[in-house]
Amino acid sequence: MSSLGPCLTFYDGVGCIGGNKVLLEDGGAALLLDFGTNFGAEGMYFDDFFQPRNTFGFADLLALDLLPPLQGLYRADLEYPGVWQRCSARPLFRKVEVQGVLLSHAHYDHCGYLPYLREDIPVFTSLASAFICKVLQDTGGGNRLQDLCYAVPRELKDGLIQTVRVTKSNPAPAVQRPFRVFGCTAVSPDAASFWEQCDASRELCCTPLKACGDKAEVAGLRVRFWPVDHSVPGAGAFAVKTSAGWVVYTGDLRLHGKHAHLTRQFISEAAKLRPVALICEGTHPEVERPVTEEEVAANCFEAVKRESGLVVADFGPRNVERLLSFLEIAGETGRRLALTAKDVYLLEALKAAGMPGVPNPYTDERVVLYVQPKAERKKWEKALLARFSECAPERVVDAAKVKADPGSYILCFSYYDFHALLDMEPRGGTCIYSSSEAFNEEMLIDHQRVRNWIDYFGFRLYGTLGRDREKSGFHASGHVHGPGIEELVETVRPKILIPVHTENREFFRRFEGRCRVVFPEKGKPLALG
């Protein structure tokens, strides 16, 4: 595509929410802006129990047009024989040489397809996002390919792609992807130690983290990074200096969280670049006044304060800002916050990353580790339980302890933890649903199941189940609202505005006349020169 000069090709995130995959090319340089899972498109073919076949590598996803047909982009050990011969006649097929991925944040709709990429392609992101990728893989399970942070070797055997077994003669270590982290000028010993930590069944061939500060050069292109406010730690926006000018990519952001100042600082500094193009998210432009994180915290506090029995808090995974709000509420109401092993491991990671405001879960008296009964535990969980038991054995709790004194706890449980309530046998109590609304039929069914559990135990519900958005005041979106998008666009003043991660084209037409508004077409290059 070098003959076109600098250009952008949008392989997903077009006319939908999530799944961002944008290829930026300029001369011999090629960078990916995110490489996420499009859950809406995947949901047309798969569900939680019927997944793409890992034994065929990336062939199923390629066949269904869920991955772009770009030869040279994917791992060789996941390449099923004949896959490229079958794809070579497709209109979007071509060969590429990508020199890096700019990862805005560690939500699956932005990072979920990283496991299929060549393991030598460096990932440029924040330190917190890198650590969350490692947490997701370390603690992951199920049928999905989990190799976000390190590639577990595969081989073709008996006509299928299978994981290479560990033997004495062949340790077959996992190979860590090269991560280049923004937001720090040096990697601390604690961060390096966590990055090299491996509580798994095979050894890890570690690739040390490299710090970038807030600027880097990738394949001859200047790249800048800014932290922004979102519902997951470590989210960031990027700008890339092409031969036609700066291209700014917002990732996902908002202006109503506790760190809104970060987003405003990004907007101010991006405006100084006078960018040729702004790739802007537009998840919820119809919202005029969003619920803030401060309002959510205040409402949750009032709900907990009124309850003398058990409190269950159900909020999105990795929403650490919400978790920290509930930690404060626990302290203010004389309770303890009962976290699962995955939550404790996430806090451990973010503490090692030096994230401000994150407590040490092993020493914070407000935190207890809730241990579920399991026939077998994975090595990471055994190691975490050993660490916690050594530091604070009195703060390791199970169903019997919660049942004996339910008013002393806030349980951080998702729907998938609710079966533990059967062992606690609560009689009434409060359930705070502090997560997003249902945005498809499958989620509506899940919400009805949550309602059934709530009704069964006689819980009082705070929060909204179903499709109503943010009407209860117990959830704050991770995405910028309509007036915030207007502030962003009018301040940055790009020559070209490119909406992505949105289903609302009509909203963005208001900017026509102030800049050129382009709604990208999937797979069609957009020239910038």
Side-chain angles (χ1 to χ4, degrees):
M1 291 296 169
S2 58
S3 61
L4 293 174
C7 69
L8 295 163
T9 308
F10 295 78
Y11 287 101
D12 216 332
V14 176
C16 62
I17 294 172
N20 289 19
K21 302 180 195 68
V22 184
L23 182 64
L24 185 157
E25 296 172 279
D26 191 8
L31 303 177
L32 281 168
L33 309 179
D34 287 336
F35 206 68
T37 303
N38 184 332
F39 288 105
E42 264 205 12
M44 294 172 62
Y45 308 102
F46 302 111
D47 60 31
D48 288 344
F49 302 100
F50 180 61
Q51 292 283 315
R53 298 170 294 179
N54 292 335
T55 50
F56 284 77
F58 51 81
D60 287 357
L61 295 171
L62 208 59
L64 293 169
D65 198 30
L66 298 172
L67 282 175
L70 302 176
Q71 189 173 4
L73 184 60
Y74 304 109
R75 287 169 52 180
D77 63 343
L78 295 179
E79 184 177 313
Y80 195 78
V83 65
W84 292 116
Q85 289 86 333
R86 293 194 294 274
C87 289
S88 59
R90 291 190 179 187
L92 300 184
F93 170 82
R94 61 189 179 99
K95 296 181 180 181
V96 296
E97 183 68 32
V98 169
Q99 290 92 15
V101 180
L102 308 185
L103 176 62
S104 64
H105 62 286
H107 275 154
Y108 278 116
D109 63 331
H110 291 256
C111 71
Y113 282 164
L114 285 183
Y116 299 99
L117 296 181
R118 273 190 4 237
E119 60 268 45
D120 62 326
I121 298 176
V123 178
F124 293 81
T125 191
S126 68
L127 181 60
S129 290
F131 276 27
I132 293 172
C133 284
K134 186 173 186 298
V135 168
L136 288 171
Q137 183 168 358
D138 287 350
T139 64
N143 298 322
R144 294 194 71 92
L145 195 67
Q146 297 285 339
D147 299 11
L148 289 163
C149 179
Y150 44 93
V152 177
R154 268 77 172 179
E155 63 181 352
L156 188 68
K157 185 177 180 181
D158 299 327
L160 297 172
I161 293 174
Q162 303 180 42
T163 303
V164 178
R165 292 183 178 275
V166 175
T167 64
K168 289 183 179 180
S169 60
N170 183 18
V175 178
Q176 206 162 32
R177 297 178 181 276
F179 273 71
R180 310 288 184 257
V181 292
F182 289 101
C184 58
T185 56
V187 177
S188 71
D190 284 348
S193 176
F194 179 82
W195 190 246
E196 297 168 4
Q197 179 178 303
C198 183
D199 296 320
S201 58
R202 68 179 67 234
E203 295 178 359
L204 179 64
C205 182
C206 185
T207 303
L209 292 167
K210 291 187 179 179
C212 297
D214 60 0
K215 301 175 183 177
E217 184 172 303
V218 188
L221 299 178
R222 290 169 59 193
V223 177
R224 292 193 61 181
F225 172 88
W226 296 271
V228 298
D229 188 40
H230 187 40
S231 55
V232 67
F238 290 97
V240 182
K241 181 70 178 294
T242 72
S243 56
W246 287 95
V247 174
V248 175
Y249 174 55
T250 66
D252 288 353
L253 42 67
R254 63 181 177 179
L255 284 164
H256 55 275
K258 295 179 181 178
H259 304 287
H261 66 281
L262 296 176
T263 301
R264 286 209 157 83
Q265 183 175 350
F266 151 66
I267 293 172
S268 175
E269 295 191 14
K272 298 174 185 176
L273 301 179
R274 300 181 181 274
V276 63
L278 171 64
I279 306 170
C280 180
E281 80 123 310
T283 309
H284 294 310
E286 72 283 355
V287 175
E288 287 292 322
R289 186 199 175 280
V291 177
T292 68
E293 284 292 341
E294 287 84 356
E295 290 171 325
V296 171
N299 291 335
C300 291
F301 171 75
E302 290 299 324
V304 175
K305 187 174 68 172
R306 286 193 290 266
E307 178 58 59
S308 59
L310 183 65
V311 174
V312 177
D314 183 351
F315 52 90
R318 297 169 297 284
N319 190 335
V320 174
E321 194 164 331
R322 197 73 48 79
L323 187 155
L324 295 180
S325 291
F326 276 108
L327 183 62
E328 292 294 326
I329 292 167
E332 292 168 0
T333 57
R335 294 173 180 258
R336 282 178 162 175
L337 195 67
L339 301 177
T340 65
K342 286 185 178 182
D343 289 331
V344 170
Y345 193 63
L346 175 61
L347 291 181
E348 181 181 1
L350 294 175
K351 184 68 176 175
M355 180 177 164
V358 174
N360 184 334
Y362 298 100
T363 59
D364 194 311
E365 292 292 330
R366 299 169 297 176
V367 173
V368 297
L369 171 63
Y370 180 80
V371 180
Q372 300 243 27
K374 291 185 178 180
E376 185 176 353
R377 300 188 192 278
K378 294 184 178 180
K379 286 192 174 182
W380 74 266
E381 195 171 359
K382 289 180 181 177
L384 185 144
L385 182 55
R387 290 195 295 273
F388 209 104
S389 297
E390 182 179 353
C391 293
E394 75 285 355
R395 289 192 287 111
V396 178
V397 303
D398 57 12
K401 286 187 178 180
V402 176
K403 180 179 179 180
D405 189 10
S408 292
Y409 301 99
I410 300 175
L411 293 179
C412 288
F413 273 14
S414 74
Y415 161 69
Y416 297 101
D417 301 307
F418 276 12
H419 45 54
L421 296 172
L422 296 170
D423 303 324
M424 301 172 192
E425 300 180 297
R427 297 179 181 178
T430 286
C431 179
I432 300 174
Y433 185 78
S434 186
S435 196
S436 63
E437 78 285 357
F439 51 80
N440 58 33
E441 295 303 316
E442 186 175 337
M443 284 190 69
L444 279 175
I445 294 171
D446 287 344
H447 279 205
Q448 183 55 53
R449 293 193 184 105
V450 172
R451 167 64 77 177
N452 294 341
W453 282 95
I454 289 170
D455 291 345
Y456 180 82
F457 289 111
F459 287 144
R460 181 184 295 105
L461 172 65
Y462 293 92
T464 303
L465 294 170
R467 292 194 185 276
D468 287 338
R469 264 191 42 76
E470 299 183 9
K471 292 184 178 180
S472 66
F474 285 85
H475 175 63
S477 169
H479 300 278
V480 65
H481 61 313
I485 295 174
E486 292 189 11
E487 178 183 338
L488 167 62
V489 175
E490 291 174 1
T491 304
V492 175
R493 301 182 67 82
K495 293 181 180 178
I496 305 171
L497 173 63
I498 308 169
V500 296
H501 206 286
T502 186
E503 296 174 337
N504 191 337
R505 285 191 172 195
E506 193 59 36
F507 173 87
F508 287 92
R509 296 191 189 280
R510 69 187 61 193
F511 300 111
E512 293 173 347
R514 283 172 277 183
C515 59
R516 178 184 165 205
V517 180
V518 177
F519 299 103
E521 298 179 38
K522 186 174 180 178
K524 183 178 180 180
L526 172 62
L528 299 176

